[in-house]
PDB file of all heavy atoms in Angstrom:
ATOM      1  N   ILE A1061      -5.055  -8.561  -2.047  1.00 96.00           N
ATOM      2  CA  ILE A1061      -4.989  -8.858  -0.623  1.00 96.00           C
ATOM      3  C   ILE A1061      -5.779  -7.786   0.106  1.00 96.00           C
ATOM      4  O   ILE A1061      -5.446  -6.596   0.024  1.00 96.00           O
ATOM      5  CB  ILE A1061      -3.523  -8.887  -0.100  1.00 96.00           C
ATOM      6  CG1 ILE A1061      -2.749 -10.031  -0.746  1.00 96.00           C
ATOM      7  CG2 ILE A1061      -3.505  -9.065   1.405  1.00 96.00           C
ATOM      8  CD1 ILE A1061      -1.908  -9.648  -1.881  1.00 96.00           C
ATOM      9  N   ASP A1062      -6.834  -8.209   0.791  1.00 95.00           N
ATOM     10  CA  ASP A1062      -7.676  -7.283   1.544  1.00 95.00           C
ATOM     11  C   ASP A1062      -6.975  -6.957   2.862  1.00 95.00           C
ATOM     12  O   ASP A1062      -6.779  -7.826   3.712  1.00 95.00           O
ATOM     13  CB  ASP A1062      -9.044  -7.893   1.804  1.00 95.00           C
ATOM     14  CG  ASP A1062     -10.040  -6.887   2.352  1.00 95.00           C
ATOM     15  OD1 ASP A1062      -9.615  -5.817   2.828  1.00 95.00           O
ATOM     16  OD2 ASP A1062     -11.252  -7.175   2.317  1.00 95.00           O
ATOM     17  N   MET A1063      -6.609  -5.712   3.034  1.00 94.00           N
ATOM     18  CA  MET A1063      -5.869  -5.287   4.224  1.00 94.00           C
ATOM     19  C   MET A1063      -6.698  -5.398   5.499  1.00 94.00           C
ATOM     20  O   MET A1063      -6.145  -5.489   6.585  1.00 94.00           O
ATOM     21  CB  MET A1063      -5.378  -3.846   4.047  1.00 94.00           C
ATOM     22  CG  MET A1063      -4.359  -3.675   2.951  1.00 94.00           C
ATOM     23  SD  MET A1063      -2.795  -4.453   3.306  1.00 94.00           S
ATOM     24  CE  MET A1063      -2.107  -3.274   4.450  1.00 94.00           C
ATOM     25  N   LYS A1064      -8.009  -5.399   5.374  1.00 92.00           N
ATOM     26  CA  LYS A1064      -8.849  -5.541   6.574  1.00 92.00           C
ATOM     27  C   LYS A1064      -8.834  -6.977   7.080  1.00 92.00           C
ATOM     28  O   LYS A1064      -9.013  -7.220   8.260  1.00 92.00           O
ATOM     29  CB  LYS A1064     -10.275  -5.102   6.278  1.00 92.00           C
ATOM     30  CG  LYS A1064     -10.381  -3.627   5.976  1.00 92.00           C
ATOM     31  CD  LYS A1064     -11.661  -3.068   6.505  1.00 92.00           C
ATOM     32  CE  LYS A1064     -11.806  -1.627   6.097  1.00 92.00           C
ATOM     33  NZ  LYS A1064     -11.494  -0.685   7.098  1.00 92.00           N
ATOM     34  N   GLU A1065      -8.635  -7.933   6.176  1.00 93.00           N
ATOM     35  CA  GLU A1065      -8.639  -9.347   6.549  1.00 93.00           C
ATOM     36  C   GLU A1065      -7.241  -9.869   6.868  1.00 93.00           C
ATOM     37  O   GLU A1065      -7.055 -10.574   7.841  1.00 93.00           O
ATOM     38  CB  GLU A1065      -9.237 -10.190   5.425  1.00 93.00           C
ATOM     39  CG  GLU A1065     -10.712  -9.945   5.204  1.00 93.00           C
ATOM     40  CD  GLU A1065     -11.248 -10.733   4.026  1.00 93.00           C
ATOM     41  OE1 GLU A1065     -10.553 -11.648   3.532  1.00 93.00           O
ATOM     42  OE2 GLU A1065     -12.367 -10.410   3.601  1.00 93.00           O
ATOM     43  N   LYS A1066      -6.268  -9.550   6.032  1.00 92.00           N
ATOM     44  CA  LYS A1066      -4.963 -10.193   6.155  1.00 92.00           C
ATOM     45  C   LYS A1066      -3.834  -9.230   6.481  1.00 92.00           C
ATOM     46  O   LYS A1066      -3.119  -9.426   7.447  1.00 92.00           O
ATOM     47  CB  LYS A1066      -4.639 -10.944   4.860  1.00 92.00           C
ATOM     48  CG  LYS A1066      -3.442 -11.832   4.987  1.00 92.00           C
ATOM     49  CD  LYS A1066      -3.299 -12.741   3.799  1.00 92.00           C
ATOM     50  CE  LYS A1066      -2.159 -13.685   4.054  1.00 92.00           C
ATOM     51  NZ  LYS A1066      -1.155 -13.695   3.065  1.00 92.00           N
ATOM     52  N   GLY A1067      -3.618  -8.238   5.686  1.00 89.00           N
ATOM     53  CA  GLY A1067      -2.496  -7.328   5.905  1.00 89.00           C
ATOM     54  C   GLY A1067      -1.231  -7.829   5.238  1.00 89.00           C
ATOM     55  O   GLY A1067      -1.219  -8.838   4.541  1.00 89.00           O
ATOM     56  N   MET A1068      -0.149  -7.113   5.471  1.00 94.00           N
ATOM     57  CA  MET A1068       1.142  -7.438   4.851  1.00 94.00           C
ATOM     58  C   MET A1068       2.007  -8.224   5.822  1.00 94.00           C
ATOM     59  O   MET A1068       1.962  -7.995   7.024  1.00 94.00           O
ATOM     60  CB  MET A1068       1.906  -6.158   4.497  1.00 94.00           C
ATOM     61  CG  MET A1068       1.234  -5.267   3.525  1.00 94.00           C
ATOM     62  SD  MET A1068       2.181  -3.737   3.396  1.00 94.00           S
ATOM     63  CE  MET A1068       2.722  -3.875   1.734  1.00 94.00           C
ATOM     64  N   SER A1069       2.816  -9.101   5.254  1.00 93.00           N
ATOM     65  CA  SER A1069       3.814  -9.798   6.072  1.00 93.00           C
ATOM     66  C   SER A1069       4.979  -8.835   6.294  1.00 93.00           C
ATOM     67  O   SER A1069       5.079  -7.796   5.640  1.00 93.00           O
ATOM     68  CB  SER A1069       4.299 -11.057   5.367  1.00 93.00           C
ATOM     69  OG  SER A1069       5.091 -10.706   4.246  1.00 93.00           O
ATOM     70  N   ARG A1070       5.863  -9.190   7.180  1.00 94.00           N
ATOM     71  CA  ARG A1070       7.036  -8.343   7.461  1.00 94.00           C
ATOM     72  C   ARG A1070       7.901  -8.192   6.202  1.00 94.00           C
ATOM     73  O   ARG A1070       8.374  -7.105   5.890  1.00 94.00           O
ATOM     74  CB  ARG A1070       7.848  -8.956   8.602  1.00 94.00           C
ATOM     75  CG  ARG A1070       9.133  -8.225   8.929  1.00 94.00           C
ATOM     76  CD  ARG A1070       8.938  -6.807   9.334  1.00 94.00           C
ATOM     77  NE  ARG A1070       8.497  -6.707  10.711  1.00 94.00           N
ATOM     78  CZ  ARG A1070       8.293  -5.562  11.331  1.00 94.00           C
ATOM     79  NH1 ARG A1070       8.498  -4.425  10.707  1.00 94.00           N
ATOM     80  NH2 ARG A1070       7.876  -5.544  12.569  1.00 94.00           N
ATOM     81  N   GLY A1071       8.076  -9.283   5.458  1.00 92.00           N
ATOM     82  CA  GLY A1071       8.879  -9.226   4.234  1.00 92.00           C
ATOM     83  C   GLY A1071       8.263  -8.322   3.183  1.00 92.00           C
ATOM     84  O   GLY A1071       8.968  -7.549   2.526  1.00 92.00           O
ATOM     85  N   GLU A1072       6.949  -8.425   2.992  1.00 93.00           N
ATOM     86  CA  GLU A1072       6.261  -7.562   2.030  1.00 93.00           C
ATOM     87  C   GLU A1072       6.374  -6.099   2.446  1.00 93.00           C
ATOM     88  O   GLU A1072       6.634  -5.224   1.623  1.00 93.00           O
ATOM     89  CB  GLU A1072       4.787  -7.966   1.929  1.00 93.00           C
ATOM     90  CG  GLU A1072       4.581  -9.314   1.284  1.00 93.00           C
ATOM     91  CD  GLU A1072       3.189  -9.883   1.503  1.00 93.00           C
ATOM     92  OE1 GLU A1072       2.514  -9.514   2.479  1.00 93.00           O
ATOM     93  OE2 GLU A1072       2.778 -10.730   0.676  1.00 93.00           O
ATOM     94  N   PHE A1073       6.181  -5.854   3.724  1.00 94.00           N
ATOM     95  CA  PHE A1073       6.264  -4.499   4.265  1.00 94.00           C
ATOM     96  C   PHE A1073       7.653  -3.901   4.009  1.00 94.00           C
ATOM     97  O   PHE A1073       7.777  -2.779   3.525  1.00 94.00           O
ATOM     98  CB  PHE A1073       5.953  -4.536   5.767  1.00 94.00           C
ATOM     99  CG  PHE A1073       5.910  -3.200   6.430  1.00 94.00           C
ATOM    100  CD1 PHE A1073       4.764  -2.419   6.383  1.00 94.00           C
ATOM    101  CD2 PHE A1073       7.017  -2.711   7.113  1.00 94.00           C
ATOM    102  CE1 PHE A1073       4.719  -1.180   7.002  1.00 94.00           C
ATOM    103  CE2 PHE A1073       6.983  -1.475   7.745  1.00 94.00           C
ATOM    104  CZ  PHE A1073       5.823  -0.713   7.685  1.00 94.00           C
ATOM    105  N   ASN A1074       8.696  -4.669   4.306  1.00 93.00           N
ATOM    106  CA  ASN A1074      10.067  -4.196   4.099  1.00 93.00           C
ATOM    107  C   ASN A1074      10.385  -3.984   2.624  1.00 93.00           C
ATOM    108  O   ASN A1074      11.096  -3.047   2.261  1.00 93.00           O
ATOM    109  CB  ASN A1074      11.073  -5.152   4.736  1.00 93.00           C
ATOM    110  CG  ASN A1074      11.044  -5.094   6.249  1.00 93.00           C
ATOM    111  OD1 ASN A1074      10.645  -4.090   6.842  1.00 93.00           O
ATOM    112  ND2 ASN A1074      11.451  -6.172   6.892  1.00 93.00           N
ATOM    113  N   SER A1075       9.862  -4.854   1.760  1.00 93.00           N
ATOM    114  CA  SER A1075      10.075  -4.726   0.326  1.00 93.00           C
ATOM    115  C   SER A1075       9.450  -3.433  -0.202  1.00 93.00           C
ATOM    116  O   SER A1075      10.078  -2.699  -0.976  1.00 93.00           O
ATOM    117  CB  SER A1075       9.478  -5.934  -0.395  1.00 93.00           C
ATOM    118  OG  SER A1075       9.540  -5.771  -1.783  1.00 93.00           O
ATOM    119  N   VAL A1076       8.227  -3.151   0.228  1.00 94.00           N
ATOM    120  CA  VAL A1076       7.543  -1.924  -0.196  1.00 94.00           C
ATOM    121  C   VAL A1076       8.284  -0.709   0.349  1.00 94.00           C
ATOM    122  O   VAL A1076       8.501   0.270  -0.365  1.00 94.00           O
ATOM    123  CB  VAL A1076       6.068  -1.930   0.266  1.00 94.00           C
ATOM    124  CG1 VAL A1076       5.426  -0.574   0.054  1.00 94.00           C
ATOM    125  CG2 VAL A1076       5.284  -3.003  -0.465  1.00 94.00           C
ATOM    126  N   LYS A1077       8.689  -0.774   1.600  1.00 93.00           N
ATOM    127  CA  LYS A1077       9.411   0.342   2.230  1.00 93.00           C
ATOM    128  C   LYS A1077      10.682   0.671   1.453  1.00 93.00           C
ATOM    129  O   LYS A1077      10.957   1.835   1.157  1.00 93.00           O
ATOM    130  CB  LYS A1077       9.746  -0.005   3.679  1.00 93.00           C
ATOM    131  CG  LYS A1077      10.508   1.085   4.410  1.00 93.00           C
ATOM    132  CD  LYS A1077      10.933   0.638   5.780  1.00 93.00           C
ATOM    133  CE  LYS A1077      12.051  -0.354   5.634  1.00 93.00           C
ATOM    134  NZ  LYS A1077      12.763  -0.694   6.830  1.00 93.00           N
TER     135      LYS A1077
END
Side-chain angles (χ1 to χ4, degrees):
I1061 295 99
D1062 191 343
M1063 294 292 283
K1064 294 215 185 259
E1065 293 176 13
K1066 190 169 185 235
M1068 299 173 114
S1069 70
R1070 176 60 79 178
E1072 291 165 336
F1073 184 83
N1074 289 335
S1075 174
V1076 170
K1077 179 186 73 168

